[in-house]
Amino acid sequence: MTRILAIEDDETTAHEIVSELTRHGFDVEWVADGREGLVRAVSDRFDAVTLDRMLPNVDGLTIVSVMRSSGIDIPVLMISALTEVDERVRGLRAGGDDYMTKPFASEEMAARLEVLLRRQNAGPRQSILRAQDLELDLITREARRGGRQVGLLPTEFKLLEFIDAQRRPGADADHDLRGDLGLPLRPRHQPDRRSHRPPAPQGRHHGLHADDQDHPGLWICSQCDALSSGAPPPSA
């Protein structure tokens, strides 16, 4: 069974985390003190950690930094009431794999942890994704094209991550995207609703922009749900 270490000093939040992750089939151990959490994280064998940012005795940044310097590369989902962008970036640069702010939806927290575990099992992942002259920095959440910074909304950034994820062998890109965006996860045994649609003619799609104003250059086909960037192919 997958073992999760939950380091959280707020009893109510800890109960919420433990209950939700247990419901998803994880074996969860809760620690309320930062010093004890650090000892458990570096001396015991866990598959992932949920880590509060502000803890008594030893804070979350110190815990994740010591873990990484000790060669412990298991996924760390940081959870904090500190919502400023600078604080989120500090947490990610210290070694966190994802960062959630309080209050949070329990189901989204579990989905994010599942995504991190799948990515861990798929092997190491680069912190910078490159496609021709486009670069996505997964730590700072910045995009550059031809060396120049490109302003993207958070959802646009995640959509580009999704497009890259589709190229990874064996990755469940649809499941990953839904987890990243906090959307309901489609049960894996449920038939894909796209299988009930008639296929689009060869080489043609029913082009439909996700949102011309908010997501320029990103489009989704209304017939086959194909997601891509750039100008859409000719509409049927």
Side-chain angles (χ1 to χ4, degrees):
M1 182 179 291
T2 303
R3 297 184 66 207
I4 309 297
L5 175 64
I7 309 177
E8 170 62 60
D9 66 327
D10 181 75
E11 186 173 353
T12 301
T13 303
H15 177 74
E16 186 178 350
I17 292 172
V18 172
S19 297
E20 185 67 22
L21 294 182
T22 300
R23 191 173 68 84
H24 281 72
F26 296 114
D27 179 17
V28 188
E29 296 186 30
W30 169 43
V31 174
D33 178 79
R35 182 177 291 111
E36 182 183 355
L38 175 58
V39 172
R40 295 294 306 279
V42 299
S43 63
D44 210 336
R45 296 182 64 88
F46 291 96
D47 297 290
V49 175
T50 66
L51 178 61
D52 189 11
R53 173 74 167 74
M54 297 182 292
L55 293 162
N57 297 317
V58 178
D59 72 347
L61 288 183
T62 300
I63 292 175
V64 71
S65 297
V66 172
M67 288 176 62
R68 298 318 187 204
S69 64
S70 302
I72 301 172
D73 62 352
I74 60 175
V76 175
L77 173 59
M78 303 196 73
I79 302 175
S80 176
L82 301 175
T83 61
E84 294 81 4
V85 173
D86 288 346
E87 293 296 340
R88 297 200 300 268
V89 171
R90 287 183 66 193
L92 294 170
R93 284 182 169 162
D97 295 283
D98 198 358
Y99 193 109
M100 293 190 70
T101 57
K102 300 177 182 178
F104 57 88
S106 298
E107 188 172 352
E108 179 186 0
M109 179 272 303
R112 284 175 178 263
L113 192 63
E114 288 172 342
V115 169
L116 294 178
L117 287 166
R118 282 199 304 276
R119 289 176 179 172
Q120 176 80 359
N121 293 335
R125 192 183 184 204
Q126 295 178 328
S127 61
I128 297 181
L129 305 179
R130 293 182 175 87
Q132 297 183 358
D133 63 343
L134 177 66
E135 292 186 355
L136 299 179
D137 190 321
L138 303 181
I139 301 298
T140 62
R141 312 300 287 180
E142 293 177 347
R144 292 181 178 81
R145 186 166 190 177
R148 300 181 62 181
Q149 187 166 336
V150 179
L152 293 178
L153 297 173
T155 301
E156 292 173 330
F157 193 97
K158 289 175 179 177
L159 286 171
L160 289 176
E161 277 192 276
F162 166 69
I163 294 172
D164 175 79
Q166 287 182 306
R167 303 182 299 175
R168 299 202 306 271
D172 188 341
D174 177 77
H175 205 76
D176 283 0
L177 177 67
R178 288 173 175 271
D180 285 344
L181 298 181
L183 299 175
L185 300 182
R186 180 183 298 134
R188 297 183 185 276
H189 63 273
Q190 178 178 320
D192 195 317
R193 59 185 172 84
R194 291 174 291 186
S195 62
H196 301 293
R197 297 179 177 179
Q202 182 70 24
R204 302 181 70 85
H205 288 276
H206 296 263
L208 174 65
H209 284 283
D211 190 318
D212 287 341
Q213 293 182 348
D214 293 336
H215 305 291
L218 294 174
W219 63 274
I220 186 169
C221 175
S222 60
Q223 285 288 337
C224 64
D225 284 356
L227 177 66
S228 187
S229 58
S235 297

